[in-house]
Amino acid sequence: MAAEIRLFPCLSDNFGYLIHDPASKATASIDAPEAAPIIKALQREGWTLTDILITHHHADHVGGIAELKAKYDCRVVAPHDKAAPIADVDERVREGDSVHVGGLAARVLETPGHTLDHISYVFDADDAVFCADTLFSVGCGRVFEGTYPMMWASLLKLRALPDQIRVYCGHEYTLANIKFALTVDPDNAALKARAEQAARQRAANQPTVPTLIGEEKQTNVFLRADVPSVAAALGLAGKRAAEVFGELRERKNRS
Ligand SMILES: [Zn+2]
């Protein structure tokens, strides 16, 4: 049976996510921005939390762990990089490890840059990736702890996933990301179509996620740093993609 995925808002602009295995009844929360909306979502579905899969150490992704663990005695899976403190961790995972949620299986991708410990969870059989603050819809996370080449390499790993994989990211930043992307990539027809779609979604108070890897490859300017027209638009024709990516990220920081 296919996984069931629920998304709901947490904090100011984080997404909360539950992934549920109907066969075993196992349910994981991807990150734990805050406990209350996660508990509410579980109660609404009649699900019991068995696992929390943490992507990185930032407070808006781990703040709810203690309360959820106290209530459900669930397993907490987190990145192996212990330099970043995350409390109540039961299992540390690294690149290539498998994480099981009942009968569902996720593959761990190390995607550092936003933080050094950042990982993403790919549920291959369910066509879903939870990539938190590495890849956003039409954007990417700020590079706080890593380098631009490191973040670019992480984005390439995600870009290499099959087109039909659904992208579940950490924040609802899509409209701001589109506004920025259009300044660099104004003639991109797929981006313009996405702008109209996202505007309709937000006007109807709907989330703009999940998106698809295939859509992101067409619309996300941060995944297009190796496209000649994008480099040229930045005055960086012929430069290495990681350098073009760094310039994109700096311009977005200033926007
Ligand atoms: Zn973060």
Side-chain angles (χ1 to χ4, degrees), residues 78-142:
H80 73 89
D81 178 355
K82 295 177 189 163
I86 301 173
D88 301 306
V89 175
D90 298 300
E91 194 178 324
R92 299 273 178 178
V93 292
R94 60 175 69 237
E95 178 84 16
D97 283 349
S98 293
V99 178
H100 292 269
V101 177
L104 310 177
R107 184 162 53 92
V108 174
L109 285 187
E110 291 181 357
T111 49
H114 175 71
T115 62
L116 293 177
D117 69 341
H118 199 298
I119 59 176
S120 300
Y121 295 91
V122 187
F123 289 79
D124 290 289
D126 299 287
D127 285 338
V129 60
F130 295 89
C131 50
D133 295 357
T134 298
L135 175 65
F136 292 131
S137 172
V138 202
C140 74
R142 280 184 186 247

Side-chain angles (χ1 to χ4, degrees), residues 55-61 114-115 118 132-133 136 144 171:
T55 60
H56 67 296
H57 69 87
H58 280 161
D60 62 323
H61 294 258
H114 175 71
T115 62
H118 199 298
D133 295 357
F136 292 131
F144 287 120
H171 293 269

Side-chain angles (χ1 to χ4, degrees), residues 218-240:
Q218 292 187 312
T219 59
N220 190 324
V221 74
F222 293 96
L223 293 184
R224 291 165 47 79
D226 53 358
V227 172
S229 65
V230 171
L234 299 172
L236 294 175
K239 296 291 185 188
R240 287 169 48 242

Side-chain angles (χ1 to χ4, degrees), residues 211-254:
T211 172
L212 300 174
I213 290 288
E215 288 176 356
E216 290 304 313
K217 280 157 67 172
Q218 292 187 312
T219 59
N220 190 324
V221 74
F222 293 96
L223 293 184
R224 291 165 47 79
D226 53 358
V227 172
S229 65
V230 171
L234 299 172
L236 294 175
K239 296 291 185 188
R240 287 169 48 242
E243 190 179 330
V244 175
F245 168 74
E247 175 64 19
L248 280 169
R249 191 54 259 181
E250 298 214 345
R251 288 192 188 202
K252 176 67 170 67
N253 293 348
R254 295 193 296 266

